[in-house]
Amino acid sequence: MKIGVIGLGFVGLSLTSVLASKGKDIVGIDVDDEKCANIKKGISPFFEPELKKLLKIGLGKKLKISTDFSLIKNSDIIFVTVGTPQRSNGSIEISMIKSAVKDIGKILKNDKKNPIILIKSTVTPGTMQEIILPIIEKESRKKAGKDFGLISNPEFLQESTAIRDTKFPHVVVLGGYQTRYMKKAEKFFSEIHPNIPIVITNHQTAEMIKYANNSFLATKISFINQLSNICQKIPGANIDDVAKTIGLDPRIGKLFLNAGPGYGGSCLPKDMKALINFANRVGINPTLLNAVEHTNNKQIQNIIHLIEKTLGSLKNKHITILGTAFKPDTDDIRDSISIELIKKLLAKKVTLTVYDPKAMKNTKSIFKEKIRYADSISHSLKNSQCMIIMVHWKQFEKINDNSINIMKRKFIIDCRRVLSGKKLNSNYYAIGIGKA
Ligand code: NAD
């Protein structure tokens, strides 16, 4: 079986590496020359646990990486994993997916194989039927369902556990017409993911499932963040105990109940905006989704308010930010709340020093010489008047009285309650814990 993957980002490269490491005959295609050249050498364009190892194993087997679309000819299965970023009005930008499926259509025109094309990129309901299907049929002069299969196959992986999630997804969703291609796709997934539920539905429901999933997760986060703000006003109250306990109720579930500075990353904010935009377009006022987003946007103001309450005017104050990635175990800073906070503090003329174990290169590419970059926690804290922990990196747990001795003012805002179990000799605020 020959497999093609179009788009070698977080989703595509994780999928490619997992399948290639199992010895599958797979070709990964991307439009980015430099990215492809690096991947061919075993260099991953981003950090993701286990990825480099699997990529190397795959490259030693049958994996091919190229910018040349013609290599997908004769594929049995083609995954489309290109980006669908956000437009300024909240809707998704689909030019990349249009271009990718146009190229696939052109190859299909002279292809003797009848491949199954699986769209993993996140697209709003209707995109498959109204945009993707007509483009492929026009370019290939072939019929979906007869000459090739076309299936919506949304992806649910999380960055930082992308490889594990690719190997062991919680569900496989297959949306499309009930043709022989659907049966083949079901067989393919049941072989590579035995015992994992496969949901077969139509295109538009599959597309909607992805948005339902992410908007529910965002709702859980905004919910717990709002409760954490209430807890902060109750001396001694602790949001983690609240979250842990309600999470024991199986109707609620314990995941995505970590209070913090708000949700960020390349998916939740974008998917929320896209769903809100979509709901408005179809005449539904998404009051709950709007509130979730509004709560999220306000969370960062709460942090700034806490800093100003203690430091007064922030002009020329020296502040340290620990963690710039949107979560631990990734170097991805797309839509990271930490990056937003840096921008807001720079507007207030703060002197900023940042440290992140993995995301320094990406952070530098945005802020260049506007902020200072430390190569360790202790380096970042020298002469600092406030430390803000934005991301729960494991190594931040080691911070102790010795580490903060070099601060000019021992003032800590811990957005992740990394140090809440320690009695540090400092003015310590934790998001979600009422100061006694
Ligand atoms: P990404 O931006 O990391 O990667 C997309 C890749 O596609 C890039 O390497 C880009 O060069 C390439 N590309 C763009 N146009 C192309 C074309 N015409 N032909 C070939 N390659 C092309 O994106 P990502 O984070 O992997 O996300 C991909 C899709 O999956 C998006 O729709 C996203 O919403 C969705 N998704 C992402 C995640 C995640 O955690 N990152 C999780 C689930 C779903």
Side-chain angles (χ1 to χ4, degrees):
M1 175 176 279
K2 186 179 163 189
I3 300 172
V5 177
I6 315 293
L8 298 175
F10 285 84
V11 173
L13 189 56
S14 301
L15 176 68
T16 302
S17 304
V18 167
L19 294 177
S21 69
K22 292 181 178 172
K24 300 264 185 221
D25 183 1
I26 184 160
V27 52
I29 306 285
D30 202 288
V31 283
D32 186 331
D33 284 310
E34 197 187 334
K35 196 176 246 189
C36 287
N38 280 328
I39 295 173
K40 271 188 209 167
K41 288 187 235 155
I43 302 169
S44 165
F46 48 85
F47 170 73
E48 189 62 45
E50 271 197 272
L51 175 62
K52 217 167 146 188
K53 189 180 84 194
L54 294 190
L55 177 59
K56 283 219 165 111
I57 297 173
L59 287 167
K61 294 188 173 177
K62 291 184 191 154
L63 173 60
K64 284 188 220 72
I65 299 292
S66 180
T67 51
D68 180 3
F69 258 83
S70 70
L71 293 188
I72 60 160
K73 202 168 174 186
N74 291 324
S75 291
D76 297 280
I77 289 189
I78 301 168
F79 288 100
V80 177
T81 55
V82 301
T84 46
Q86 190 187 303
R87 286 200 194 121
S88 54
N89 69 358
S91 65
I92 52 167
E93 171 59 57
I94 52 168
S95 57
M96 288 185 246
I97 205 156
K98 277 165 116 177
S99 156
V101 296
K102 195 169 171 188
D103 284 336
I104 293 173
K106 282 182 190 155
I107 303 290
L108 272 189
K109 196 171 161 191
N110 302 309
D111 201 343
K112 288 195 177 67
K113 271 269 166 76
N114 306 102
I116 309 172
I117 302 161
L118 293 127
I119 307 292
K120 279 205 163 291
S121 304
T122 303
V123 290
T124 41
T127 309
M128 191 68 147
Q129 276 185 314
E130 288 155 27
I131 295 165
I132 296 175
L133 186 145
I135 292 177
I136 305 181
E137 287 192 336
K138 180 171 170 239
E139 294 298 329
S140 66
R141 310 226 174 112
K142 292 184 173 174
K143 278 288 272 177
K146 179 174 161 277
D147 306 310
F148 65 93
L150 187 59
I151 295 178
S152 304
N153 175 222
E155 176 58 55
F156 302 96
L157 69 75
Q158 284 190 76
E159 288 176 27
S160 82
T161 53
I163 296 300
R164 192 186 70 199
D165 298 345
T166 303
K167 284 181 182 165
F168 310 106
H170 67 275
V171 67
V172 172
V173 176
L174 300 175
Y177 294 100
Q178 309 308 309
T179 61
R180 64 189 164 110
Y181 297 102
M182 183 62 91
K183 287 208 170 72
K184 268 192 188 171
E186 188 183 9
K187 185 164 178 286
F188 170 77
F189 283 105
S190 59
E191 278 168 14
I192 58 168
H193 301 307
N195 307 322
I196 286 168
I198 297 178
V199 173
I200 297 181
T201 181
N202 56 31
H203 286 302
Q204 50 279 40
T205 309
E207 291 165 328
M208 189 62 198
I209 287 171
K210 173 65 192 171
Y211 284 97
N213 213 92
N214 271 0
S215 57
F216 189 74
L217 296 176
T219 304
K220 278 186 102 173
I221 295 175
S222 278
F223 167 80
I224 204 70
N225 280 342
Q226 185 143 90
L227 290 202
S228 88
N229 295 341
I230 300 172
C231 280
Q232 238 168 279
K233 300 281 180 199
I234 310 169
N238 184 322
I239 191 64
D240 286 331
D241 288 347
V242 173
K244 224 185 301 162
T245 314
I246 63 169
L248 291 173
D249 184 332
R251 293 169 300 177
I252 296 176
K254 64 180 181 190
L255 301 178
F256 275 72
L257 285 178
N258 295 318
Y263 58 79
S266 71
C267 288
L268 291 195
K270 160 178 98 95
D271 292 351
M272 279 297 288
K273 282 198 169 59
L275 184 57
I276 289 172
N277 176 281
F278 183 80
N280 282 319
R281 268 197 288 139
V282 296
I284 297 296
N285 180 6
T287 48
L288 175 64
L289 302 177
N290 280 329
V292 168
E293 198 181 40
H294 181 68
T295 306
N296 198 58
N297 295 341
K298 272 196 72 186
Q299 203 61 3
I300 199 167
Q301 289 306 334
N302 297 340
I303 301 170
I304 294 173
H305 176 71
L306 264 181
I307 315 172
E308 285 178 330
K309 215 170 88 183
T310 301
L311 294 185
S313 160
L314 297 188
K315 196 171 173 198
N316 298 328
K317 293 278 164 41
H318 191 156
I319 292 178
T320 302
I321 291 193
L322 293 182
T324 55
F326 86 95
K327 66 192 285 196
D329 286 329
T330 181
D331 60 359
D332 195 355
I333 56 167
R334 291 179 291 177
D335 266 328
S336 158
I337 301 288
S338 200
I339 298 297
E340 267 318 292
L341 180 67
I342 294 172
K343 286 181 184 160
K344 287 199 161 28
L345 293 179
L346 280 178
K348 289 178 182 281
K349 309 256 184 289
V350 171
T351 304
L352 275 170
T353 304
V354 302
Y355 172 68
D356 186 287
K358 292 282 179 205
M360 295 304 267
K361 192 168 151 224
N362 288 339
T363 311
K364 275 182 195 166
S365 73
I366 296 189
F367 296 107
K368 308 206 162 63
E369 72 293 343
K370 288 189 192 133
I371 59 175
R372 300 172 186 179
Y373 305 92
D375 52 19
S376 64
I377 298 170
S378 54
H379 181 198
S380 76
L381 294 178
K382 203 166 171 205
N383 291 327
S384 178
Q385 291 162 287
C386 173
M387 172 213 303
I388 309 174
I389 302 179
M390 290 294 286
V391 183
H392 195 147
W393 281 99
K394 262 277 176 247
Q395 58 172 266
F396 298 163
E397 290 173 9
K398 294 192 187 124
I399 294 171
N400 57 22
D401 278 324
N402 275 342
S403 345
I404 61 172
N405 263 341
I406 47 171
M407 291 178 78
K408 193 167 167 187
R409 185 171 181 158
K410 292 171 194 159
F411 170 36
I412 301 173
I413 298 178
D414 186 350
C415 299
R416 305 286 180 179
R417 296 163 307 287
V418 178
L419 307 172
S420 61
K422 297 185 180 179
K423 292 244 173 306
L424 291 181
N425 180 19
S426 65
N427 183 10
Y428 176 83
Y429 286 88
I431 294 284
I433 298 183
K435 226 167 152 52

